[in-house]
Amino acid sequence: MIAAGSLSDRERINSVRGLACLLLVAFHSVTSATEAMGHGDRTLSLIAEQAFLSIRMPLFSMIAGCIYAMHPVAPGGYARFVRKKGWRILVPCIFTTIILILAKNMLGRRAPCDTDCMLGHLVLPYEHLWFLPAIFCVFVAAAALDVLFPQQRRRATLIALAAACLLFFSPLRQIQAYAIGNAFYLAPFFFGGAAIYLFRDEITPRMARGWPWLLAATIIVYAINFTLMARGMSSGRDSLAALALGLLACGGLLIFFPRIGLLARIGVYSFTIYLYHFVFLSLANRIGFDLFSVTAIGIVLGLAGPILVEVAMMRFAPALGFLIGQPRRRPRSEPSLALSGGG
């Protein structure tokens, strides 16, 4: 039997965060290694992309929704909440954009970017950083719901989840400015995570008894979604199968995934890993000697490098913590504040 309280277990939630980081870094390690080694056969890269495409970023979003539901915006605190979220999410996004573009120029990568390009990426997010302005938009919408319906959070969350699932298929997904279209992509999973937490007393006992059915449904939908992507009939981010897989798989992980010490320690630094793992993948490309060694080194450096950056920054220059979403020194066991809830 799964206890409803496990949904607020910090170490277990950090374990899920750590898993999400591992999936993200492993995928980018494979694709970066394939590009660096100049392999004409992109089979491994395509498999890595398609295997968990419909799970990777939805899992980050669902975790954010669950944690937000634990610590919703306080009454009268909407403006303060938006300011803090902007400071903790958008400022690191802008700073990291500059760092990545400068690094690409210094390393002589293809298509270097000049100052005008940097300014353009304030509107059109740079590479993997699209997630940050997108999830910021979702946070703002979720907080507005709590302010408007403070006594009806559960009902408002269910309505928001239903609306987000409908808008998942809308033309609004095509809006590229400020990653607004991607906000509509992430919203169903965010509100799904919030709903799981708000209805935990009703959900977890039933899920504990019905986990074989959930697992079977997830496997079936996964097979359908993978087949659609393999045949070019879906991007893995726009189909009903992709939406269903994200909700089923990420919801199942959020409820059932156990505490794993190593993943929990990684999860504490999830925000910094998300920001800077690409920098260390470039280093791995220069150390490895074949596709598999570059990939393996990339996974290790992509996880360990950002962790060392955060540890060093919070120890020797804590005043700069805002650049990684940490405006103050925090205990090592606490998760990254940037994608958390109301504070």
Side-chain angles (χ1 to χ4, degrees), residues 90 198 307 309 313 328:
L90 300 184
L198 292 174
I307 291 175
V309 167
M313 180 176 288
R328 64 180 184 276

Side-chain angles (χ1 to χ4, degrees), residues 37-263:
M37 301 306 295
H39 280 252
D41 183 6
R42 295 189 64 251
T43 302
L44 180 61
S45 177
L46 289 173
I47 292 175
E49 179 179 3
Q50 295 179 0
F52 298 105
L53 175 62
S54 303
I55 298 174
R56 282 191 302 268
M57 302 319 296
L59 183 55
F60 278 108
S61 184
M62 187 167 281
I63 294 169
C66 180
I67 295 175
Y68 170 77
M70 297 179 195
H71 310 286
V73 62
Y78 183 75
R80 179 173 179 269
F81 174 87
V82 173
R83 285 196 303 271
K84 279 199 167 186
K85 276 290 173 276
W87 187 253
R88 292 177 180 176
I89 296 177
L90 300 184
V91 170
C93 179
I94 294 170
F95 178 78
T96 305
T97 297
I98 295 171
I99 291 296
L100 291 178
I101 291 174
L102 290 177
K104 178 174 286 189
N105 278 269
M106 288 188 293
L107 292 173
R109 297 287 297 276
R110 293 192 302 272
C113 191
D114 55 23
T115 305
D116 293 337
C117 178
M118 287 188 185
L119 294 176
H121 285 302
L122 296 179
V123 177
L124 300 176
Y126 185 68
E127 293 188 350
H128 69 292
L129 298 176
W130 64 265
F131 179 83
L132 300 180
I135 201 67
F136 173 77
C137 292
V138 180
F139 270 122
V140 169
L145 279 179
D146 281 337
V147 170
L148 293 173
F149 307 102
Q151 305 303 320
Q152 299 175 306
R153 290 188 63 214
R154 290 170 34 130
R155 180 181 299 179
T157 299
L158 286 182
I159 293 173
L161 173 58
C165 288
L166 291 176
L167 292 172
F168 183 87
F169 304 101
S170 75
L172 295 172
R173 288 278 307 276
Q174 306 306 314
I175 302 175
Q176 296 184 9
Y178 304 107
I180 291 174
N182 283 317
F184 288 102
Y185 167 61
L186 297 176
F189 311 109
F190 182 97
F191 287 110
I196 287 174
Y197 181 78
L198 292 174
F199 289 88
R200 61 194 180 280
D201 294 324
E202 293 87 350
I203 290 176
T204 48
R206 292 180 174 84
M207 293 291 283
R209 293 191 298 268
W211 71 263
W213 298 103
L214 173 66
L215 179 60
T218 303
I219 293 173
I220 292 171
V221 175
Y222 180 93
I224 294 172
N225 185 59
F226 190 86
T227 301
L228 291 174
M229 286 192 291
R231 295 182 176 179
M233 301 169 65
S234 167
S235 69
R237 294 183 53 184
D238 56 8
S239 67
L240 179 60
L243 174 61
L245 177 60
L247 291 172
L248 287 171
C250 297
L253 288 170
L254 196 60
I255 294 172
F256 291 108
F257 198 75
R259 298 186 192 95
I260 299 178
L262 178 59
L263 287 180

